[in-house]
Amino acid sequence: MTLQFLVGAVVSGINIMIHAMVTVGAIGIARWAGLRHTAWPRLHLMAVMVATATALMIAHTLEILVWSLAYRIFKVAPAGSDLIYFAFVNYTTLGYGDITPVEAWRLTGPMTAMNGILMFGWSTAVLFEVLRKTLEHLAAIAAPDFSSEDRA
């Protein structure tokens, strides 16, 4: 059990570092994009949000790949299992149950899910902050076809 917690903590720590790097990058890009004046504020807002969401989805995919690598190294699932699928199911808390961990590693599923929930919550906060800052910027520059009512 101790080894399971240790492996889960290390993989979660790696994923937190990945998410932190992507968050810093996404916020930097959003700030850069926010400094630009635009003739099409709604299109600008949409582009910033799509870019941010895409970056965060890439981060989640990398984090799932880290979990699947840990599953492979420690032989968490029965031989022949699709480890990427298994990691996706656990990370997203979907929990089909068609693949289950071997008895000695049964805590890795819930630990993966706990990590995924944390990362998804973090992503939601990042998306909201990028949206808020971009709307704030568009209002500040009095972008054409943009009113303070759009901030609601």
Side-chain angles (χ1 to χ4, degrees):
M1 184 184 299
T2 304
L3 183 57
Q4 290 179 71
F5 281 117
L6 180 62
V7 168
V10 168
V11 174
S12 292
I14 291 168
N15 285 346
I16 290 167
M17 287 187 280
I18 291 169
H19 220 78
M21 287 189 302
V22 171
T23 296
V24 168
I27 289 174
I29 290 169
R31 279 190 182 144
W32 172 80
L35 294 175
R36 299 174 51 129
H37 288 269
T38 179
W40 301 293
R42 293 184 197 311
L43 184 61
H44 175 82
L45 175 61
M46 193 168 60
V48 169
M49 294 307 297
V50 167
T52 303
T54 300
L56 290 166
M57 287 181 70
I58 290 169
H60 287 291
T61 302
L62 289 172
E63 292 155 12
I64 289 164
L65 291 174
V66 170
W67 276 109
S68 67
L69 179 62
Y71 290 176
R72 179 175 304 282
I73 291 168
F74 293 98
K75 298 179 181 17
V76 169
S81 297
D82 183 345
L83 298 178
I84 293 174
Y85 166 78
F86 184 45
F88 256 103
V89 168
N90 285 327
Y91 186 87
T92 60
T93 72
L94 187 57
Y96 280 140
D98 53 343
I99 302 174
T100 55
V102 296
E103 182 72 21
W105 288 95
R106 66 182 174 186
L107 289 178
T108 56
M111 292 183 79
T112 304
M114 183 174 65
N115 182 237
I117 289 169
L118 176 65
M119 297 300 102
F120 284 125
W122 185 347
S123 292
T124 301
V126 169
L127 283 167
F128 181 77
E129 182 63 11
V130 167
L131 174 64
R132 191 180 69 75
K133 284 293 191 184
T134 305
L135 288 172
E136 196 175 89
H137 168 72
L138 291 172
I141 65 169
D145 297 328
F146 182 82
S147 71
S148 60
E149 294 169 3
D150 293 328
R151 293 170 50 172

